[in-house]
Amino acid sequence: MGIALDIAGDWDAALAALAWQVEAGVDEVIADTPVNRYDLAVETKKPAAPQPVPQPVAADPVAAAKAAATAARSLEDLRAALAAYPHCELKKGARNTVFADGNPQARVLVLGEAPGAEEDREGRPFVGRAGQLLDKMFAAIGLSRTSPDAQSALYITNVMPWRPPGNRDPEPAEIAMMLPFVERHIALVDPQVIVVMGNTPLFALTGGKGILRARGNWSEALGKPLLPMTHPAYLLRNPAMKREAWADLLSLQARLR
Ligand code: URA
C-alpha cells in the first residue's frame, strides 16, 4: 500500500506524516511519477570509462645489444650475452649460435658474413667448402686457426652469429643489431689487423659497399688497420679472382712483418 504526500521542507510535518502513514499501514514509498527501476539498474551497471593503460615501452634492439655487449668483460661473457640476446629473428631458425673459432691471441682477426648450413650444424664459423678454402688461403701465408702461437694464429668470427634462411644476405637492421657485439668482440680480442671477407662485414665496419672495388685497399676501422678481401665463397664461384686474393694475402703478410 502507498500514499502520495507533498510535505517537502517541513521536518515536523514530515515526521508526523510518516508516523501517520506507518499507522495507516503504508509499506512502500512512491513518488508522483513512476520510476523504471530496470533502467536505473542498467544505468548503474554502466562500465567505468576506460582509463588509459600505460603501454610497455618497446625494447630498442640496438640499445639492448649495446647494453649487453658493453657489460661483457670477457669473450665468454660476450658469448653468453649473444646467446641470450632475444631480439634477432634469425636466432629462432638457427640450430646454433656461431660465436668464433681460432686463437684469441691471434694478430689477425677474420670477420666473415654469417654461418651457412654446415656452420649452423657444427656451431663453428667457416667449416664448409668456403671455410676450407679460407684455411688454405691463410695457410699459404703461414696463418692458421689451430696455431697456439699468436704470431701464426688466426681468429675467425662473423657479423651474424645465426644463419639467415636460405643463406640470404643479412638485412641492415639485423647487421645494426649485431654491430655492438662485433665491436665488443674485436675490442676484447684486440687484434693487430682486421680482415673483412665480403660485402657484409665491409658494410658493417666501414659503411662502405662494393667489395670488388674495396678489396686490397687498406683502411681503418675501430682504430685498427682493415683489409677488405673477396669472400672465399665468391672465389669458389669465380676462381679467376684468386689472383687478386693472393695479392691481398701477400699484402697482409707484408703488413705483419
Ligand atoms: N660464410 C661466412 O661468411 N661465414 C661462415 O662462417 C661461413 C660461410
Side-chain angles (χ1 to χ4, degrees):
M1 173 180 173
I3 298 173
L5 289 170
D6 184 11
I7 38 104
D10 186 335
W11 164 258
D12 291 330
L15 190 59
L18 194 58
W20 177 77
Q21 287 186 52
V22 171
E23 189 65 25
V26 170
D27 54 9
E28 65 182 314
V29 179
I30 58 171
D32 289 345
T33 50
V35 176
N36 186 337
R37 298 285 162 191
Y38 291 107
D39 282 353
L40 275 186
V42 169
E43 214 166 300
T44 53
K45 276 188 201 148
K46 245 197 227 161
Q51 297 297 309
V53 177
Q55 295 297 312
V57 178
D60 173 350
V62 176
K66 272 188 193 150
T70 310
R73 296 276 152 245
S74 67
L75 289 173
E76 277 321 299
D77 282 359
L78 192 68
R79 185 196 287 268
L82 204 46
Y85 182 76
H87 302 291
C88 185
E89 287 297 306
L90 296 182
K91 185 182 189 177
K92 293 183 184 156
R95 291 188 193 191
N96 275 301
T97 297
V98 177
F99 185 67
D101 197 17
N103 183 343
Q105 307 302 320
R107 294 187 294 166
V108 178
L109 181 145
V110 173
L111 185 63
E113 176 178 309
E118 276 137 305
E119 290 79 14
D120 182 42
R121 228 178 350 257
E122 267 200 43
R124 285 195 305 133
F126 282 106
V127 293
R129 272 185 75 217
Q132 287 158 21
L133 176 57
L134 179 144
D135 283 339
K136 280 189 199 145
M137 288 163 65
F138 284 94
I141 56 165
L143 301 179
S144 159
R145 67 170 103 186
T146 58
S147 173
D149 174 12
Q151 290 296 104
S152 54
L154 212 52
Y155 188 80
I156 304 174
T157 185
N158 284 311
V159 174
M160 305 303 304
W162 300 293
R163 183 191 181 205
N167 293 344
R168 67 157 168 78
D169 289 343
E171 288 166 9
E174 293 165 344
I175 295 173
M177 270 183 234
M178 289 301 110
L179 192 55
F181 291 105
V182 173
E183 290 178 348
R184 187 75 187 131
H185 205 152
I186 292 172
L188 288 167
V189 174
D190 193 21
Q192 262 178 39
V193 166
I194 304 168
V195 176
V196 289
M197 307 213 79
N199 269 316
T200 296
L202 175 69
F203 173 72
L205 291 197
T206 70
K209 289 181 179 170
I211 190 69
L212 293 180
R213 249 176 300 113
R215 59 138 286 276
N217 297 314
W218 286 90
S219 64
E220 219 185 80
L222 309 173
K224 301 193 178 295
L226 177 136
L227 177 66
M229 288 184 65
T230 44
H231 194 283
Y234 175 82
L235 295 176
L236 287 172
R237 294 191 303 272
N238 302 276
M241 286 297 289
K242 284 185 183 171
R243 221 156 63 111
E244 280 80 359
W246 177 236
D248 300 343
L249 288 167
L250 291 179
S251 169
L252 172 63
Q253 189 179 44
R255 186 83 177 214
L256 293 171
R257 281 211 178 108

